[in-house]
Amino acid sequence: MGLEKIHAPSDESIRRAARFLAQGQLVGIPTETVYGLAANALDPVAVARIYTAKGRPPSNPLIVHLADASQLPLVTGQPLGEAIRSQIEKLTPFWPGPLTLVLPRGAAVPDCVTAGRDTVAVRVPANEIARRLIRECGFPLAAPSANRSTYVSPTTAAHVLDGLGDHVAMILDGGDCDCGIESTIVRLEGDSATLLRPGWITREQLESRLGCAVHLHAVTSDVDPELIAPGMMRDHYAPRTRMRLVGQLGSMELPSRCGRIAFSKLPDAEAKRYFVVDALSESGDLEAVAKNLFAAIRRMDSMGLELIVVDECGTEGIGRAIMDRLNRATG
Ligand code: TXA
Ligand code: MG
């Protein structure tokens, strides 16, 4: 059902998607991280449809996607200060790519995109289909992950159809996403940088490029986390099936219908304890784990299991992003 909404990328289908977007409709788009639910970022009526489709609280702002960094002045406040400009210059070599910058907002960006904030989140996706589409449109695209609010992000066109098929005019099929995990989000203010969401671009990479520490945003009781990074504190990425980290099991007896998401191949004796096992990589390569994780969670969540048990890793490099998502999904 709805399969006719999924289109292979071609000049014709990209032009068609651009026409739908210009009319204020929603289109599912591939990016290198996860699929996005795109609307014309400069059209408040179109953007409002994103919130309705996702069931997303209006307090949770959206990321604006540009075709290239030269479009930044379209959406950021002008003029930007000297210190922040120098930070942007150090980080834009990651563009196009899975890095989102939170910057002072420009007047052209509607309130509903930024949830009324004085900042705007911006990125240039690396996926060529996405960039061809943004160029064809001539306007930037607001696009959250194309899942119902709080569910697992989509990494295939079929995932988008599953959750949001009724709400999109069409979906451009870019195959499986290369990274499989959402972009890293960094807030820049003057000469300070804060990691709001860990992702494919690691904190270590950012620090080496900036030549200074990237702060982790501290969740303290006297600061409302919603005010710093809305959408990051809630029950995100949660499958419907109960999910636990392998280290949380203790001496718990496994139910008969228990799934295991392993980061590498399990020895037979261990695999036998589970109703179903999905190994995300041969030998624990964390980039493969990130790429395959969300699809595995969705697959297991559709199997009527009583419990999903998932592996853990350290928080170095991309491990930080993987554990961030898993801690929230199992929290
Ligand atoms: O990889 C990605 O970033 C994907 C693809 C489609 O680009 N998009 C994505 O969007 O993950 P979404 O809406 O699922 O997550 C965006 C996050 C939310 O947690 C939101 O609260 C935060 O970015 N955000 C957006 N604008 C912000 C701002 N001005 N200040 C702080 N956080 C912001
Ligand atoms: Mg999301």
Side-chain angles (χ1 to χ4, degrees):
M1 272 282 285
L3 278 177
E4 72 285 351
K5 287 199 175 172
I6 298 184
H7 293 258
S10 63
D11 289 348
E12 167 53 26
S13 61
I14 288 174
R15 271 198 300 273
R16 187 145 173 232
R19 277 198 301 274
F20 280 131
L21 289 161
Q23 291 162 4
Q25 302 204 56
L26 305 182
V27 172
I29 64 165
T31 84
E32 73 281 19
T33 56
V34 301
Y35 276 73
L37 178 65
N40 177 353
L42 306 181
D43 175 353
V45 176
V47 171
R49 293 197 173 108
I50 292 180
Y51 287 89
T52 307
K54 279 184 63 94
R56 182 179 178 111
S59 58
N60 192 2
L62 306 174
I63 297 175
V64 174
H65 296 68
L66 307 177
D68 56 71
S70 69
Q71 291 185 318
L72 256 185
L74 285 178
V75 294
T76 58
Q78 296 299 322
L80 289 169
E82 181 71 37
I84 198 168
R85 278 213 323 269
S86 138
Q87 298 221 86
I88 294 172
E89 260 160 45
K90 288 179 190 157
L91 293 185
T92 40
F94 287 114
W95 283 353
L99 175 67
T100 296
L101 299 180
V102 173
L103 301 170
R105 161 199 178 175
V109 183
D111 264 344
C112 54
V113 171
T114 66
R117 288 157 179 267
D118 54 9
T119 55
V120 60
V122 199
R123 87 179 187 97
V124 177
N127 182 289
E128 262 313 309
I129 303 162
R131 293 177 67 211
R132 273 163 65 195
L133 175 64
I134 301 167
R135 268 188 238 110
E136 180 71 31
C137 286
F139 45 76
L141 295 179
S145 53
N147 50 279
R148 295 273 308 163
S149 192
T150 76
Y151 197 59
V152 184
S153 292
T155 56
T156 68
H159 293 161
V160 181
L161 189 67
D162 266 357
L164 295 168
D166 291 343
H167 296 272
V168 291
M170 65 183 277
I171 301 166
L172 282 170
D173 189 353
D176 295 351
C177 296
D178 288 337
C179 307
I181 205 156
E182 305 84 350
S183 63
T184 305
I185 305 183
V186 180
R187 185 182 57 204
L188 299 180
E189 281 170 309
D191 58 8
S192 113
T194 308
L195 186 67
L196 299 184
R197 178 173 73 183
W200 190 266
I201 304 288
T202 65
R203 184 188 189 195
E204 294 86 340
Q205 285 176 294
L206 295 168
E207 291 186 333
S208 107
R209 209 57 82 82
L210 287 170
C212 68
V214 171
H215 308 291
L216 296 177
H217 84 80
V219 181
T220 55
S221 52
D222 55 342
V223 181
D224 179 358
E226 286 293 303
L227 293 176
I228 305 169
M232 294 310 300
M233 299 291 106
R234 291 190 208 96
D235 231 13
H236 262 50
Y237 314 100
R240 287 172 286 265
T241 314
R242 193 157 57 103
M243 187 157 141
R244 289 290 172 268
L245 296 171
V246 77
Q248 291 173 326
L249 291 179
S251 57
M252 180 181 147
E253 198 171 319
L254 299 179
S256 58
R257 287 185 68 88
C258 182
R260 169 74 178 264
I261 299 177
F263 287 3
S264 56
K265 284 213 133 152
L266 289 185
D268 286 347
E270 178 65 4
K272 273 211 295 257
R273 300 174 63 211
Y274 296 90
F275 182 76
V276 55
V277 176
D278 203 341
L280 302 184
S281 78
E282 277 294 316
S283 53
D285 164 27
L286 290 186
E287 293 195 348
V289 168
K291 179 173 159 89
N292 298 318
L293 180 64
F294 289 163
I297 295 176
R298 280 176 174 257
R299 202 157 44 235
M300 290 226 174
D301 201 22
S302 69
M303 293 182 69
L305 301 171
E306 289 161 83
L307 178 68
I308 302 169
V309 176
V310 60
D311 278 5
E312 302 173 56
C313 60
T315 56
E316 308 78 42
I318 195 175
R320 182 182 295 279
I322 293 169
M323 287 316 298
D324 167 75
R325 307 310 188 267
L326 289 181
N327 284 326
R328 259 149 339 100
T330 57

